[in-house]
């Protein structure tokens, strides 16, 4: 290191801009420049009042952790996650990815002994000093933000907003390690305003639950056309296989090979040949769902549960599940809590909007439980369809979609299935009975 660069290292007394510039030079390049800059700016601003911590951060980053450094802390948010450039993630993970390991998965960090405010210690402040954490590679899900080697066909330039939509990859766990140890991480605490009442409401719903006769129904599509009848899976078959063979379907097996489609193209025909042993869907407990990929090719899944586990906004990511991986893709309790929250938000917003239209403009404190992040009209625009989406899984065989691929939506993939989860839909009916939400109406 030349003398020059040492003397040029900024201190906490310098302008935010030059500190950000210096810290940007040490980023690992896993994130887009825009995202990295926003994340670093927001951190430096938060530390401006805590000069010794800001100096600790500058020292740690500019010397690559060569000298011991103090904790660098920010306030813990309600759900533990931090929002940067429209994305949510755990703060210690965001900064560790930025400055140390671009392909880090959130379950791979362990804090060093002398860190007093490590994320797992659940203190009011969280240490985001990347050199206060060590990486332990999780034998569970490997989330690698890499491009898919199988699909480089006329790749579009990198994804749209901030380059953060990459496909999240789920590798099989090491032999002999039960996947449950890693996948069923505890749910985040219920959001503010929802007391434990929602959890107890769930247990009582569950206790008096009338289990549906069929736990799910599966529709098969080629591009945007449904092919064949919807297949219903009886509650007596908690495990169902969807494969590419030509045997007759029935009970616990839905065979896609024998379905005909007059609009089928050669490309669809080719993709169908690779479905092979397909996937196994398993209903556990009252309605959690796990997927096992039996095919020789990966399957791609849209799952709000996995989005949340990866610290993404619902519907924000596509999950690539590799052959022989076994992974949880749906959590009934979490889904129920989300329904209640969204229905309550929509109801409160609709009421506030009606009051505003009537001329009784409510005070800022009166809109119950609405995060200022969503405008009143957007919240009032939450309809029943948005809530139904929480109860549906979509899965494409062989081909992926999203910004990493030429296909923007699952409806452009050659063969995919949509799975409606009946217990979740039943709970949605209950929620809508207690909190009816009107579909958005045009004003007279």
């Amino acid at each position: 290191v030349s003398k020059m660069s040492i003397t040029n290292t900024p201190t906490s007394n310098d302008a935010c801009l030059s500190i950000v510039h210096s810290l940007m030079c040490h980023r690992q390049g896993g994130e887009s420049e825009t995202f990295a800059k926003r994340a670093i700016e927001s951190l430096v601003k938060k530390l401006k009042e805590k000069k010794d911590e800001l100096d600790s951060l500058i020292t740690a980053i500019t010397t690559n952790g060569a000298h011991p450094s103090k904790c660098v802390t920010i306030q813990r948010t309600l759900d533990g996650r931090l929002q940067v450039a429209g994305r949510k993630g755990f703060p210690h993970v965001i900064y560790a990815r930025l400055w140390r390991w671009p392909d880090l998965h959130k379950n791979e960090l362990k804090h060093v002994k002398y860190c007093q405010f490590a994320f797992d210690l659940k203190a009011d402040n969280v240490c985001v000093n990347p050199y206060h954490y060590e990486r332990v590679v999780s034998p569970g899900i490997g989330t690698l933000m890499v491009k898919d080697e199988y699909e480089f066909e006329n790749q579009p330039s990198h994804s749209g907003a901030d380059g953060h939509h990459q496909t999240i990859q789920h590798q099989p766990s090491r032999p002999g390690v039960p996947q449950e140890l890693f996948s069923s991480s505890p749910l985040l605490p219920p959001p503010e305003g929802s007391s434990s009442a929602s959890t107890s409401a769930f247990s009582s719903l569950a206790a008096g639950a009338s289990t549906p006769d069929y736990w799910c129904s599966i529709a098969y599509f080629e591009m945007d056309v449904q092919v064949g009848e919807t297949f219903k899976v009886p509650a007596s078959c908690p495990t169902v296989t969807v494969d590419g063979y030509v045997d007759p379907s029935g009970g616990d097996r839905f065979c896609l090979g024998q379905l005909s489609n007059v609009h089928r193209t050669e490309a669809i025909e080719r993709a169908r040949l690779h479905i092979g042993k397909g996937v196994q869907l398993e209903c556990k407990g009252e309605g959690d769902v796990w997927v096992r990929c039996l095919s020789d090719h990966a399957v791609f899944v849209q799952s709000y549960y996995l989005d949340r586990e990866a610290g993404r906004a619902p519907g924000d990511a596509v999950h690539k599940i590799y052959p022989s991986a076994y992974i949880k893709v749906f959590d009934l309790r979490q889904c129920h809590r989300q329904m209640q929250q969204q229905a309550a938000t929509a109801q409160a917003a609709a009421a506030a909007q009606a009051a505003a239209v009537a001329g009784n403009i409510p005070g800022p404190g009166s809109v119950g439980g609405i995060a200022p992040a969503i405008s009143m009209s957007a919240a009032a625009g939450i309809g029943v369809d948005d809530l139904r989406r929480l109860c549906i899984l979509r899965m494409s065989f062989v081909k992926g979609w999203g910004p990493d691929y030429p296909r923007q939506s699952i409806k452009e993939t050659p063969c995919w299935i949509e799975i409606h989860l009946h217990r979740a839909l039943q709970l949605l009916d209950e929620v809508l009975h207690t909190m009816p939400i009107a579909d958005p109406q045009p004003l007279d």
Side-chain angles (χ1 to χ4, degrees):
V1 183
S2 71
K3 279 247 170 48
M4 186 69 182
S5 67
I6 291 175
T7 53
N8 274 354
T9 303
T11 71
S12 56
N13 296 318
D14 284 295
C16 282
L17 213 68
S18 51
I19 298 174
V20 170
H21 178 75
S22 170
L23 296 176
M24 279 288 282
C25 299
H26 293 268
R27 66 196 181 93
Q28 294 299 308
E31 297 286 4
S32 72
E33 189 166 352
T34 330
F35 179 82
K37 196 160 182 223
R38 290 256 196 103
I40 296 173
E41 272 169 358
S42 116
L43 180 56
V44 170
K45 280 181 187 149
K46 286 180 183 139
L47 297 173
K48 248 334 209 179
E49 302 306 307
K50 302 192 273 191
K51 291 201 180 308
D52 54 334
E53 294 192 19
L54 183 49
D55 281 322
S56 269
L57 176 72
I58 295 169
T59 305
I61 302 306
T62 54
T63 64
N64 298 330
H67 303 293
S69 51
K70 296 200 195 88
C71 285
V72 175
T73 63
I74 60 174
Q75 206 174 352
R76 181 184 291 271
T77 58
L78 207 62
D79 68 357
R81 296 182 298 168
L82 176 71
Q83 182 148 353
V84 177
R87 276 166 64 184
K88 279 192 138 184
F90 294 110
H92 62 313
V93 178
I94 290 177
Y95 294 107
R97 269 188 200 146
L98 227 131
W99 283 309
R100 293 193 73 183
W101 306 285
D103 60 349
L104 177 76
H105 183 255
K106 71 177 170 64
N107 297 339
E108 294 179 338
L109 283 185
K110 197 175 103 201
H111 60 270
V112 294
K113 284 195 202 64
Y114 51 83
C115 180
Q116 296 168 299
F117 295 97
F119 183 80
D120 293 338
L121 299 178
K122 304 270 189 286
D124 288 344
N125 286 331
V126 179
C127 176
V128 294
N129 182 339
Y131 291 94
H132 276 204
Y133 294 90
E134 286 164 354
R135 185 176 190 178
V136 288
V137 177
S138 141
I141 302 165
T143 302
L144 310 168
M145 295 297 186
V146 295
K147 289 283 183 287
D148 178 0
E149 62 297 327
Y150 180 74
E151 293 251 2
F152 253 98
E153 54 207 32
N154 60 351
Q155 203 71 347
S157 63
H158 201 56
S159 60
D162 256 358
H164 70 277
H165 255 284
Q166 297 101 321
T167 312
I168 295 180
Q169 319 221 345
H170 301 271
Q171 310 277 1
S173 56
R174 280 208 306 249
V177 179
Q179 181 78 31
E180 284 88 339
L181 289 178
F182 303 97
S183 297
S184 43
S185 59
L187 285 179
L188 298 172
E192 192 175 25
S194 72
S195 62
S196 56
S198 65
T199 337
S200 60
F202 184 90
S203 352
S204 61
L205 279 176
S210 51
T211 323
D213 296 339
Y214 298 96
W215 71 265
C216 76
S217 50
I218 306 170
Y220 168 66
F221 293 82
E222 292 177 359
M223 312 291 274
D224 57 356
V225 177
Q226 182 173 348
V227 177
E229 299 288 307
T230 298
F231 182 80
K232 290 183 166 180
V233 185
S236 57
C237 300
T239 303
V240 60
T241 306
V242 182
D243 61 38
Y245 299 123
V246 294
D247 304 341
S249 298
D252 62 355
R253 189 164 171 218
F254 183 19
C255 296
L256 306 177
Q258 37 95 17
L259 300 174
S260 56
N261 170 14
V262 291
H263 303 292
R264 188 170 292 153
T265 62
E266 206 178 315
I268 295 174
E269 198 64 81
R270 272 202 311 274
R272 277 169 53 85
L273 294 175
H274 293 295
I275 297 173
K277 294 180 180 169
V279 292
Q280 204 172 50
L281 304 169
E282 190 179 347
C283 180
K284 288 192 177 184
E286 198 191 331
D288 292 355
V289 180
W290 290 65
V291 166
R292 180 175 266 117
C293 178
L294 304 173
S295 168
D296 293 338
H297 291 273
V299 293
F300 296 81
V301 178
Q302 188 177 42
S303 151
Y304 288 176
Y305 169 76
L306 286 178
D307 292 343
R308 184 170 173 146
E309 285 293 285
R312 294 296 180 82
D316 193 36
V318 178
H319 300 267
K320 179 177 185 180
I321 298 184
Y322 279 83
S324 81
Y326 176 58
I327 183 173
K328 183 177 182 178
V329 292
F330 180 80
D331 184 289
L332 189 66
R333 274 172 190 265
Q334 183 191 299
C335 175
H336 184 238
R337 205 157 62 204
Q338 232 170 342
M339 285 171 196
Q340 288 178 313
Q341 237 179 302
Q342 287 193 11
T345 303
Q347 231 186 4
Q353 221 180 17
V357 170
N360 324 323
I361 307 292
S366 61
V367 181
I370 294 190
I374 47 177
S375 68
M376 216 155 73
S377 57
I382 295 175
V384 177
D385 279 351
D386 298 292
L387 295 176
R388 280 180 66 85
R389 221 165 280 148
L390 300 173
C391 312
I392 294 171
L393 292 167
R394 288 173 153 189
M395 190 178 299
S396 160
F397 295 97
V398 190
K399 297 285 185 181
W401 79 94
D404 287 348
Y405 298 98
R407 297 163 291 277
Q408 287 314 293
S409 113
I410 196 169
K411 291 183 177 177
E412 294 168 36
T413 62
C415 36
W416 58 281
I417 51 176
E418 183 170 87
I419 303 145
H420 289 239
L421 302 170
H422 294 188
R423 181 66 187 120
L425 288 162
Q426 220 177 33
L427 288 177
L428 177 58
D429 279 347
E430 311 248 359
V431 169
L432 292 173
H433 274 296
T434 53
M435 281 185 276
I437 62 174
D439 268 320
Q441 296 295 321
L443 297 171
D444 297 335

